[in-house]
Amino acid sequence: MRVVGIETSCDETGVAIYDSARGLLAHALHSQVALHAEYGGVVPELASRDHVRKVLPLLRQVMNQADTRPDDIGGVAYTAGPGLAGALLVGAAVGRSLAWAWGVPAVAVHHMEGHLLAPMLEDDPPAFPFVALLVSGGHTQLVRVDGVGRYTILGESLDDAAGEAFDKTAKLLGLGYPGGPALARLAQRGDPKRFHFPRPMTNRPGLDFSFSGLKTFAVNSLQMQGGDDQTRADIARAFQDAVVDTLAIKCRRALQQTGLERLVVSGGVSANTALRERLGRIAGEEGAQVFYPRLEFCTDNGAMIAYAGCRRVQAGQAEPLAFFATPRWPLDVLAPP
Amino acid sequence: MKLLAIDTSTEACSAALLISGEVRERHEIAPREHARLILPMLESLLAEAGLKLSQLDALAFGCGPGGFTGVRIATGVIQGLAFGADLPVAPVSSLAALAQGTYRETGAQQILSAIDARISEVYWGAYRAGDAGHVTLEGDETVCAPQHVPLPVGADWFGAGSGWAAYETALQTRLGGAAYTCDGQRYPRAYDVALLGAGIYQRGLAVSAEQVLPVYLRDEVAWKKSR
Ligand SMILES: Nc1ncnc2c1ncn2[C@@H]1O[C@H](COP(=O)(O)OP(=O)(O)O)[C@@H](O)[C@H]1O
Ligand SMILES: [Mg+2]
């Protein structure tokens, strides 16, 4: 069965076609990063305006690439939340209406379920059950995954998401938006011994996170030591080490607590090289295996939505004609298809 | 000809099916309910007429100006339907639909359409009844403060739309009594989107799915940062 996936929850428009027998057939992405950069963050109205211009051209493109005709399509999946309400409504309106016009089922997909299942698009996908670390601009969560739609939140950020902390600290260091990747590059030249930032919430039990305090440390270090190039690199290094260390400590704890042997890491921050190295090491020590989506599917994309949608359409799920955007939508209220 | 039309550009949500000049309509005042209501409205219209989407000649939609989200819901729905059923689309100004409905129901020949644009502004357009029973635009549509709307030529104008409910005093002052009657409870309706859309289609001006885009008029909003 072939399913179209449409992603418009934030600042990327993604469209893809997944085939249950042949895997991912085509995917296309339009990033709005440049559009929002001059505002230092995502401007919701601008995001919505761009999505409505891009969805159909991308759809046409993937239909051509996948040599797919409307008759070949068995369902349409779109991200219904969480995310920006206006942006989500664009994908929902197009996706739901398209499915109706084609006479096939529509499925409203949870964006984070997309991220959770993204490693399933790879050649060596993880088997259920597994522990997933979701680290993106909007989320930091540890989730126990027992199957599609069977999610238990083990822990999550009480304030800033890891990616958000990267972006805010990067801004402080004058790195532009979104600054996560730039901060990671700067950290490579940083001295790991110069500053030491705390590992928030690691010295007590539990799997929750708190990253907002780290930027205060960055501000203070910057004020006390001045903002020369080397100091900025050293701060970037101390910050990244603290985030990576904290995430790794909690992942180890989650593996131990659940007794599971597979760790999935997904979301924009999972592109971070230092994090990957560190998680590889702790997984080895715990006798666990780590799974990542390919780099381009770590961030928002249509492929993961097409995959999650396909699993749900195959199981018989179908939305009514009334469509919705669900800007706030906890992951653990999802049910198996 | 057979044409399906929608409008979700204001607090009203409506759908209409035109078959050889005759129009059936579904209409509700339902702020923020457009996404829930619009496709079921279309489904019931088609079912009642025993038609499938693929049997239609064209689609039409109220392309704005109006609420940004509502206008985009209509745009997204029509994009999906037009792409999926391979149908041409007639974009219709919501200010024109508002004027057409006013002409159709009251007989007023000169209509000043005003839709409340928030932040103390109105979407504005002056329309006159034309030969084919369709209203036509005088000058340009615009978004501006009620104190600055372009002055229409002549007297006997009829004010229609939520802009009149919100800013009647300011508008009447600006117009110096030119609009002696107004009705602030009128909304653009799919009925009139269908009538005007049929004209656009017959004149060969319909567009393809990928060209279906909203008209915001307000493009220089002071964009606010989200985080
Ligand atoms: N190499 C990296 N190191 C750290 N953070 C990164 C890296 N690459 C991307 N990010 C961060 O990932 C986030 C974007 O991920 P994404 O999954 O698109 O998030 P969301 O969908 O929640 O906005 C941004 O906060 C960005 O700074
Ligand atoms: Mg994401």
Side-chain angles (χ1 to χ4, degrees):
Chain A
M1 171 185 292
R2 276 181 206 186
V3 171
V4 168
I6 300 173
E7 155 65 36
T8 64
S9 68
C10 188
D11 58 350
E12 333 261 355
T13 320
V15 183
I17 300 176
Y18 181 84
D19 183 309
S20 53
R22 293 173 48 201
L24 186 65
L25 297 184
H27 67 97
L29 187 80
H30 168 76
S31 171
Q32 305 178 351
V33 164
L35 180 68
H36 301 290
E38 62 174 300
Y39 301 92
V42 177
V43 183
E45 176 59 20
L46 284 183
S48 305
R49 288 186 178 203
D50 206 43
H51 287 305
V52 83
R53 286 191 290 262
K54 294 293 161 30
V55 173
L56 286 193
L58 295 183
L59 175 62
R60 184 78 71 190
Q61 184 182 331
V62 294
M63 298 271 293
N64 288 340
Q65 273 168 13
D67 199 12
T68 294
R69 293 162 1 92
D71 291 348
D72 305 327
I73 303 284
V76 179
Y78 51 87
T79 306
L84 302 169
L88 290 164
L89 272 171
V90 173
V94 178
R96 185 64 197 90
S97 308
L98 186 64
W100 186 47
W102 277 340
V104 298
V107 170
V109 172
H110 191 292
H111 180 80
M112 301 313 289
E113 173 169 83
H115 278 306
L116 273 181
L117 300 179
M120 299 298 187
L121 291 161
E122 303 309 320
D123 291 337
D124 175 28
F128 298 118
F130 54 77
V131 170
L133 173 68
L134 293 174
V135 270
S136 71
H139 290 84
T140 304
Q141 289 182 321
L142 273 163
V143 187
R144 181 190 166 105
V145 180
D146 287 292
V148 175
R150 300 173 64 203
Y151 312 126
T152 315
I153 308 280
L154 303 170
E156 60 194 328
S157 179
L158 305 178
D159 42 55
D160 290 357
E164 193 179 0
F166 261 95
D167 294 339
K168 285 179 175 172
T169 304
K171 204 172 191 174
L172 277 172
L173 297 173
L175 295 174
Y177 174 87
L183 190 150
R185 274 193 302 278
L186 185 61
Q188 285 173 353
R189 318 193 261 106
D191 174 0
K193 304 243 163 59
R194 170 109 177 263
F195 299 105
H196 183 83
F197 284 19
R199 276 54 176 157
M201 303 185 69
T202 51
N203 54 9
R204 56 181 126 148
L207 294 169
D208 286 336
F209 303 92
S210 165
F211 289 114
S212 70
L214 291 178
K215 44 171 208 293
T216 317
F217 268 81
V219 174
N220 292 345
S221 309
L222 209 54
Q223 273 170 0
M224 273 158 19
Q225 305 294 324
D228 63 281
D229 269 7
Q230 189 55 48
T231 301
R232 286 166 54 247
D234 296 343
I235 291 172
R237 178 61 187 258
F239 169 83
Q240 177 173 277
D241 284 354
V243 174
V244 166
D245 218 25
T246 306
L247 292 171
I249 290 167
K250 301 276 170 157
C251 283
R252 186 198 294 275
R253 240 181 237 177
L255 289 170
Q256 288 171 350
Q257 191 177 305
T258 57
L260 297 178
E261 289 165 353
R262 284 171 295 273
L263 175 65
V264 160
V265 189
S266 189
V269 182
S270 71
N272 186 282
T273 317
L275 179 66
R276 289 191 170 209
E277 277 170 19
R278 192 62 209 289
L279 291 178
R281 222 171 323 128
I282 65 134
E285 288 160 18
E286 297 299 321
Q289 207 185 338
V290 196
F291 298 83
Y292 299 96
R294 73 191 80 163
L295 271 184
E296 64 181 326
F297 295 161
C298 283
T299 45
D300 295 349
N301 63 87
M304 65 186 193
I305 304 304
Y307 176 81
C310 186
R311 293 294 305 261
R312 288 182 172 277
V313 173
Q314 278 188 302
Q317 192 174 323
E319 301 296 322
L321 279 178
F323 57 89
F324 299 91
T326 312
R328 270 177 279 276
W329 187 2
L331 182 64
D332 52 359
V333 304
L334 292 188
Chain B
M1 78 166 296
K2 303 184 198 68
L3 175 146
L4 201 53
I6 63 173
D7 188 285
T8 61
S9 61
T10 64
E11 298 88 315
C13 176
S14 58
L17 177 60
L18 177 147
I19 305 175
S20 356
E22 220 176 283
V23 182
R24 294 289 184 103
E25 190 189 30
R26 303 282 184 271
H27 176 261
E28 259 185 65
I29 303 296
R32 310 181 69 86
E33 295 286 314
H34 303 117
R36 185 172 66 81
L37 293 173
I38 194 68
L39 289 177
M41 281 180 171
L42 293 178
E43 183 188 44
S44 86
L45 284 166
L46 287 178
E48 191 178 273
L51 283 176
K52 290 197 218 114
L53 264 184
S54 56
Q55 294 173 286
L56 300 172
D57 297 299
L59 302 167
F61 78 116
C63 62
F68 295 160
T69 299
V71 167
R72 265 193 303 270
I73 286 174
T75 306
V77 165
I78 292 297
Q79 284 183 352
L81 298 182
F83 190 100
D86 204 9
L87 290 170
V89 177
V92 175
S93 155
S94 22
L95 290 166
L98 176 57
Q100 181 70 29
T102 308
Y103 164 62
R104 178 171 56 82
E105 291 184 347
T106 71
Q109 298 282 315
Q110 305 187 112
I111 301 110
L112 296 172
S113 288
I115 295 173
D116 185 0
R118 317 282 173 210
I119 58 169
S120 303
E121 293 190 328
V122 290
Y123 297 116
W124 180 263
Y127 281 87
R128 216 183 274 279
D131 314 329
H134 289 174
V135 296
T136 53
L137 179 64
E138 298 247 313
D140 293 317
E141 294 186 344
T142 184
V143 58
C144 63
Q147 298 81 353
H148 299 132
V149 297
L151 291 173
V153 181
D156 280 6
W157 289 87
F158 187 106
S162 58
W164 287 91
Y167 310 108
E168 182 178 352
T169 313
L171 286 171
Q172 295 280 20
T173 307
R174 165 72 178 158
L175 298 169
Y180 56 87
T181 320
C182 71
D183 182 351
Q185 303 306 312
R186 305 196 71 91
Y187 298 95
R189 291 176 70 139
Y191 194 116
D192 303 289
V193 172
L195 294 178
L196 294 173
I200 290 171
Y201 172 72
Q202 275 153 357
R203 275 175 275 136
L205 298 175
V207 301
S208 69
E210 275 110 320
Q211 295 167 292
V212 169
L213 290 172
V215 171
Y216 299 106
L217 286 193
R218 178 181 281 153
D219 286 317
E220 299 96 34
V221 176
W223 306 114
K224 282 198 233 78
K225 280 173 42 175
S226 69
R227 60 172 161 172

